[in-house]
Amino acid sequence: MDNERVDQVKVLAPTGMLGAGFPEATIERGLALGADVISVDGGSTDSGPHYLGASQPKTTRAAVARDLRILLKAAADAGIPLIVGSCGTSGTDSGVDWVAGIVADIQAAEGLRLRVARVYSEQDTGTLLERLAEGRVHALPPLGPLEPETLRSCTHIVGVMGHEPIVAALEGGAQVVLAGRATDTAIAAAYPLMKGMPAGPTWHASKIIECGGQCTSNPRSGGVLATIDADGFTIEPLDPAAACTPVLVAAHMLYETVNPFEMREPDGTLDVRDAVYTAQDDRVVRVEGSRFHVAGQHTIKLEGARITGYETMSFSAVRDPHILANIDDWAALMRTMIRQRVEQTIGLSEDKYAFDLRLYGHNAILGDLDPAAVPPREVGVMLLVNAPDQSTATAVAKIANPLMLHLPTADMDYLPSLAFATSPAEVERGAAYEFVLHHVVDTGTPTDMFRTETEETPHG
């Protein structure tokens, strides 16, 4: 990869997540505007711990292949690199290989000859235990010190890479970089930083474009193009009918940040307190004044998930007006009756399993933070049981089945008939996971926790 320094770098961000889709015309426009690199996020923790714990993608193969086919052909036609981060949703090694397999199939079908690098981010538990013993692992609030058993309990652990492993892959000759777990911003920042763009504008621009068109007047319209130079950056929607405004661009610093003026990366902190947002016209915004403070110690954040048990779910619907007028009392009675019936039937005490009763249409989202003013017209009742094994979880749900179908309130003199959504009513969800790591590791070098494999010969 040519490392010649340039005056500006244009980064094309086609969508917020690979597989989410985008109009193909927006990619063509991005290339016409002179894009120097295409960067796209392939994953997130937004959808919960299952995808990391089970190492399974959230997106379907067909959707990822559709987007990749367009992006690979665009990168090949324009002679620019394509960077994908957090492959396979969680960035595990198998997630990287899954995306790499799709890329290989597309290259073979389309006759492309792009050299691909895989950057793996999954971590070895034994190595992490050594670093923990050396005092190189530190908790982030609100967690406390990491216990060795927590590391051992994880089914998968990834390190969240910054831009450096991606830059190393590009410098090694990769035209397509498929990265494991990476910060959302690192995939967009890597190429501009490699080309000598200043860190402040680069990291800020990368933050703004991480979700594609979300910083525009029409988030569904496709992606954006960021042009980064020595003094700042501009943001332009790829759909001519969409617009960026200073408020829309500035607002993205509120998204997924603890502090709207700062954002931590592995090698330092973005500071936008002095950033100035100016409309260049009715759809393009210019930003200047962003700074970046290099950290004294480079760190890599860990993400890990473990099994918390096995889940079975059932769902019933309530339309009885008397129950709905007393829905909280009915739900309290349901909880009491489930506990009693489970102990009577299979002898399980409350500490041997858990269940959650959620009243959708009443208070399932905010609970007591949003008390209902009037009785709801109908309520969906979801029972979610968690137990050490699947058979126990299903047994508890089956014991609750008659209650979910016919439980009256205490003052009713008849049995109501409620409505299950499915038959059978019990749906086995398998293993349930939880995130258990919110810690960082002091690194020797920015790349020493990651492994890169680059094809010796391109496909063709």
Side-chain angles (χ1 to χ4, degrees):
M1 181 63 62
D2 183 6
N3 284 337
E4 179 185 354
R5 294 302 190 257
V6 296
D7 294 331
Q8 65 178 21
V9 172
K10 297 186 176 184
V11 183
L12 192 166
T15 183
M17 184 175 178
L18 186 69
F22 47 80
E24 188 169 358
T26 60
I27 307 304
E28 296 170 357
R29 186 163 192 274
L31 297 185
L33 290 171
D36 297 301
V37 61
I38 302 171
S39 70
V40 61
D41 195 5
S44 173
T45 59
D46 291 357
S47 298
H50 170 85
Y51 304 100
L52 174 59
S55 189
Q56 294 180 351
K58 171 183 176 178
T59 45
T60 182
R61 189 185 194 281
V64 171
R66 181 267 179 190
D67 288 0
L68 276 175
R69 187 178 304 276
I70 295 170
L71 298 180
L72 287 165
K73 292 171 68 175
D77 290 344
I80 61 177
L82 168 63
I83 302 168
V84 182
S86 298
C87 288
T89 305
S90 61
T92 59
D93 290 359
S94 65
V96 173
D97 291 340
W98 180 68
V99 175
I102 298 173
V103 168
D105 290 346
I106 293 171
Q107 294 227 72
E110 299 292 338
L112 303 178
R113 297 178 57 84
L114 301 173
R115 178 162 292 175
V116 178
R118 309 182 192 193
V119 185
Y120 294 107
S121 65
E122 197 156 347
Q123 302 298 306
D124 174 69
T125 301
T127 301
L128 291 178
L129 287 169
E130 292 175 2
R131 298 193 177 194
L132 178 61
E134 295 166 353
R136 297 169 60 187
V137 180
H138 313 284
L140 297 174
L143 295 189
L146 180 61
E147 296 296 330
E149 182 50 39
T150 301
L151 286 174
R152 296 189 186 100
S153 69
C154 291
T155 55
H156 293 278
I157 301 172
V158 292
V160 185
M161 73 181 76
H163 68 286
E164 299 91 348
I166 300 171
V167 168
L170 292 170
E171 292 177 338
Q175 297 161 288
V176 177
V177 179
L178 305 179
R181 188 69 172 112
T183 71
D184 296 348
T185 39
I187 56 176
Y191 189 81
L193 290 173
M194 185 181 78
K195 288 295 185 178
M197 295 299 100
T202 296
W203 285 111
H204 193 180
S206 300
K207 169 60 180 171
I208 302 306
I209 67 174
E210 63 170 335
C211 288
Q214 188 165 313
C215 63
T216 75
S217 60
N218 183 2
R220 297 172 299 280
S221 64
V224 292
L225 186 78
T227 302
I228 306 165
D229 56 46
D231 300 314
F233 63 94
T234 59
I235 302 289
E236 177 178 355
L238 294 176
D239 182 346
C244 283
T245 67
V247 169
L248 288 170
V249 172
H252 205 68
M253 281 301 301
L254 295 167
Y255 180 68
E256 295 181 337
T257 56
V258 175
N259 183 332
F261 300 108
E262 292 183 354
M263 184 184 67
R264 180 62 199 265
E265 292 290 331
D267 67 331
T269 301
L270 170 65
D271 181 348
V272 303
R273 287 177 176 82
D274 297 329
V276 177
Y277 305 79
T278 305
Q280 284 197 327
D281 55 32
D282 59 356
R283 51 186 308 280
V284 179
V285 171
R286 172 77 178 172
V287 183
E288 296 183 354
S290 314
R291 295 175 294 167
F292 190 81
H293 308 295
V294 177
Q297 172 63 59
H298 189 281
T299 57
I300 293 296
K301 184 176 179 291
L302 299 176
E303 293 174 352
R306 68 183 177 194
I307 294 175
T308 61
Y310 294 81
E311 290 183 344
T312 299
M313 180 182 70
S314 62
F315 193 96
S316 183
V318 181
R319 195 65 173 78
D320 186 291
H322 185 78
I323 294 178
L324 294 173
N326 301 275
I327 189 66
D328 289 316
D329 292 340
W330 178 86
L333 178 62
M334 173 72 78
R335 294 183 180 98
T336 298
M337 293 296 295
I338 290 174
R339 296 187 188 100
Q340 290 179 355
R341 294 281 179 88
V342 168
E343 186 162 11
Q344 292 168 358
T345 306
I346 56 177
L348 274 188
S349 57
E350 294 180 33
D351 60 336
K352 302 299 183 183
Y353 70 102
F355 71 88
D356 191 8
L357 197 70
R358 303 177 189 177
L359 305 177
Y360 284 95
H362 177 51
N363 65 356
I365 308 301
L366 294 179
D368 294 338
L369 294 176
D370 187 20
V374 295
R377 187 167 62 91
E378 61 185 25
V379 166
V381 182
M382 187 178 79
L383 175 69
L384 190 63
V385 181
N386 184 293
D389 57 81
Q390 191 72 70
S391 61
T392 299
T394 300
V396 171
K398 285 180 176 291
I399 290 168
N401 184 301
L403 303 172
M404 294 279 286
L405 183 61
H406 290 305
L407 180 69
T409 60
D411 61 345
M412 291 174 70
D413 58 1
Y414 63 92
L415 287 179
S417 289
L418 312 180
F420 280 118
T422 61
S423 177
E426 294 74 35
V427 179
E428 294 186 340
R429 288 179 28 82
Y433 297 86
E434 66 175 344
F435 288 123
V436 292
L437 296 182
H438 193 53
H439 301 75
V440 294
V441 181
D442 294 339
T443 61
T445 70
T447 59
D448 65 10
M449 291 179 64
F450 307 98
R451 309 168 315 282
T452 300
E453 295 182 8
T454 302
E455 296 174 352
E456 294 301 320
T457 56
H459 294 281

